[in-house]
Amino acid sequence: DQTEVKLTVDGLLTNQMKNHVVKLRTSIDFYGDEIPYVENANVQVIDEAGVVYTYTHNPEAVDSLKGYYFSDNAYQGQVGQAYTLNILFNEMNFSATDTLRPVSEIDSLGIQVDQRALNEDDNEGEIYQVVLYANEPPETKDFYYFRFYRDSLPESSTNVYVFDDVAIGSLDGLPSPILFKEGELAGVEIYSLTREQFVYFTDLSNILNNDGGLFSPPPANPRTNISNGALGHWQVSAVTTASILIEP
């Protein structure tokens, strides 16, 4: 049996001044091999003051950007403000609200050799960890999403790196889970998350790492903040970035 087709949403708004993006697809059946792009939706974001930011589908008609909706004007989210995503698709309204929480600025990055990787014969030169130095405010409950880049390209690992401040303890001297080679440019991004986004990414990580064993939970869609049965998420985050050339 097949379930009904559902809208899938991948939307991100940050505190960076730029044209932000919302990606829209629909779900497919189990044996489908091509994910349909949504090109006929109405998309807008509204802030707490009622200011409306309209989005247009693929304004420059680039083939690789089908399903991508870009804000008509560059803007940036403000810390502490809530932003609501509204989507009208197939005569149905979908909405989600997320709040932009602050993120600790990266003070600096360092490099260290991962001794376990160094002792492995097949390390292929990937023996260096990036060490992150930043202040983690102890008075607040914080959630973080980390992304890593290798020579300006996103790391291709299927792992999802999300943590709360209890799990990581401190951002000062935190080693990366990704290993790099000498001569590579290592990049790090840290996104602030609300608890709802932390739950979404944790669910996603559990799905990606589910081995299907006897004691594994049955697969289920990640819990979402989007209404009306849509899949995916609407994320509003502050982001801080830094990079370092791996030079021992």
Side-chain angles (χ1 to χ4, degrees):
D1 292 337
Q2 301 296 335
T3 188
E4 62 184 281
V5 172
K6 293 188 176 183
L7 177 69
T8 68
V9 180
D10 181 5
L12 173 63
L13 168 64
T14 71
N15 60 339
Q16 298 167 313
M17 177 63 74
K18 64 179 184 179
N19 295 84
H20 296 280
V21 181
V22 174
K23 306 171 191 176
L24 299 181
R25 308 284 193 271
T26 60
S27 60
I28 59 176
D29 64 52
F30 185 82
Y31 296 103
D33 57 4
E34 183 176 344
I35 300 177
Y37 307 105
V38 173
E39 304 181 49
N40 58 342
N42 291 323
V43 178
Q44 60 179 211
V45 172
I46 305 175
D47 66 16
E48 289 184 0
V51 177
V52 177
Y53 303 92
T54 57
Y55 285 59
T56 299
H57 176 259
N58 192 8
E60 297 183 2
V62 179
D63 283 344
S64 61
L65 296 179
K66 291 180 180 178
Y68 286 63
Y69 291 74
F70 292 84
S71 61
D72 293 342
N73 299 298
Y75 71 107
Q76 62 187 137
Q78 302 297 319
V79 170
Q81 295 294 303
Y83 295 84
T84 298
L85 171 67
N86 286 323
I87 300 169
L88 177 62
F89 173 63
N90 280 353
E91 299 183 351
M92 291 186 63
N93 289 297
F94 303 88
S95 66
T97 301
D98 202 34
T99 300
L100 199 150
R101 292 177 54 84
V103 69
S104 299
E105 290 293 328
I106 298 174
D107 293 330
S108 62
L109 297 178
I111 301 169
Q112 69 180 23
V113 174
D114 183 284
Q115 292 299 323
R116 185 171 60 178
L118 182 63
N119 294 328
E120 294 178 352
D121 295 334
D122 58 349
N123 59 52
E124 298 182 349
E126 293 184 354
I127 61 172
Y128 299 100
Q129 288 178 302
V130 171
V131 183
L132 171 72
Y133 296 95
N135 292 319
E136 211 291 310
E139 66 277 4
T140 57
K141 178 67 175 178
D142 300 301
F143 305 92
Y144 302 103
Y145 170 45
F146 292 78
R147 294 189 70 183
F148 299 92
Y149 293 80
R150 191 186 306 273
D151 292 333
S152 301
L153 297 176
E155 175 57 38
S156 59
S157 170
T158 57
N159 292 319
V160 179
Y161 300 107
V162 291
F163 308 93
D164 61 14
D165 48 12
V166 175
I168 60 176
S170 173
L171 293 175
D172 199 36
L174 182 68
S176 70
I178 300 296
L179 298 177
F180 297 89
K181 298 179 183 178
E182 181 177 352
E184 290 182 326
L185 180 66
V188 181
E189 291 180 340
I190 307 177
Y191 294 80
S192 63
L193 297 178
T194 56
R195 178 171 179 78
E196 290 75 15
Q197 288 304 318
F198 176 74
V199 167
Y200 170 84
F201 281 113
T202 301
D203 287 352
L204 182 61
S205 178
N206 290 337
I207 291 171
L208 292 172
N209 293 287
N210 190 326
D211 62 5
L214 178 63
F215 298 104
S216 297
N221 291 315
R223 286 167 282 182
T224 177
N225 59 353
I226 305 172
S227 69
N228 254 343
L231 306 176
H233 70 142
W234 166 238
Q235 176 188 347
V236 180
S237 299
V239 58
T240 180
T241 67
S243 60
I244 186 172
L245 184 64
I246 306 299
E247 293 181 323

